Amino acid sequence: MSARAILTWPDPQLTVMCPPVAEITDDIRLLAADMLDTMYAAPGRGLAAPQIGVQLRLFVMDPTWKQGQPDPTICINPDILAHSDTVATAGEGCLSLPGVVVQVSRPTWVRMVWSDLDGIVHEEDLTGFRALCAQHELDHLDGLMTLDHVDAAQRADILAAYGAP
Ligand code: ZN
């Protein structure tokens, strides 16, 4: 297992709609282990496969490890089945946008379904930071960044501070 390099925006690999994982192979198990290593080393609380240049619907998250409660979750082919009408706005960082915090509004709970590395399907209602984290990482699988949640003026201000051309 090893940490891999994290791509940063505007790398075009971050804006691709990723296809599903067709089969859970040893390569996928190695990828997931490397993604956890990469996330913890960054250090971050979530990482999606396209952030390390792999175009597949797979992300890892561990929203609580920084509070001393490690709880890694590997989400293969995740999908959101339902969400609250209530939204909350919070500042979100992203390992692919270092140094940038974007205010993003998202549903406060989501019902997500995904498969784990053993092919077992999980369906869970996520709330709080776990809901935010899952939605952020799922966005990456659709080629979306936090920047895609704000209007053109805000995006321009953020990118000027980020140093984008
Ligand atoms: Zn991100």
Side-chain angles (χ1 to χ4, degrees):
M1 294 190 290
S2 54
R4 301 194 197 180
I6 297 175
L7 304 178
T8 54
W9 197 90
D11 192 302
Q13 295 184 78
L14 293 167
T15 56
V16 173
M17 173 70 80
C18 297
V21 174
E23 189 186 354
I24 299 164
T25 60
D26 285 347
D27 281 350
I28 294 295
R29 278 182 274 273
L30 178 64
L31 172 65
D34 280 359
M35 284 171 63
L36 284 171
D37 282 357
T38 306
M39 178 186 75
Y40 289 129
R45 291 179 286 197
L47 185 77
Q51 291 182 277
I52 57 168
V54 178
Q55 312 302 332
L56 285 173
R57 302 190 77 78
L58 165 62
F59 71 76
V60 297
M61 65 175 179
D62 190 343
T64 55
W65 75 272
K66 287 187 179 180
Q67 287 80 50
Q69 296 169 299
D71 181 24
T73 305
I74 294 163
C75 298
I76 299 169
N77 299 335
D79 196 14
I80 288 176
L81 303 177
H83 61 79
S84 61
D85 292 332
T86 308
V87 297
T89 304
E92 295 184 19
C94 178
L95 295 174
S96 294
L97 272 173
V100 174
V101 174
V102 181
Q103 297 294 322
V104 180
S105 299
R106 300 186 187 276
T108 53
W109 75 259
V110 293
R111 178 166 302 148
M112 192 172 76
V113 63
W114 71 95
S115 176
D116 67 20
L117 278 182
D118 297 316
I120 295 167
V121 175
H122 299 257
E123 184 177 320
E124 201 179 298
D125 286 356
L126 309 178
T127 58
F129 187 72
R130 200 168 161 78
L132 182 158
C133 199
Q135 291 175 84
H136 177 116
E137 299 312 329
L138 220 162
D139 271 359
H140 279 302
L141 308 185
D142 293 330
L144 298 174
M145 302 283 295
T146 52
L147 291 171
D148 297 307
H149 286 270
V150 297
D151 64 31
Q154 285 176 290
R155 186 182 171 103
D157 285 349
I158 292 162
L159 290 182
Y162 181 63

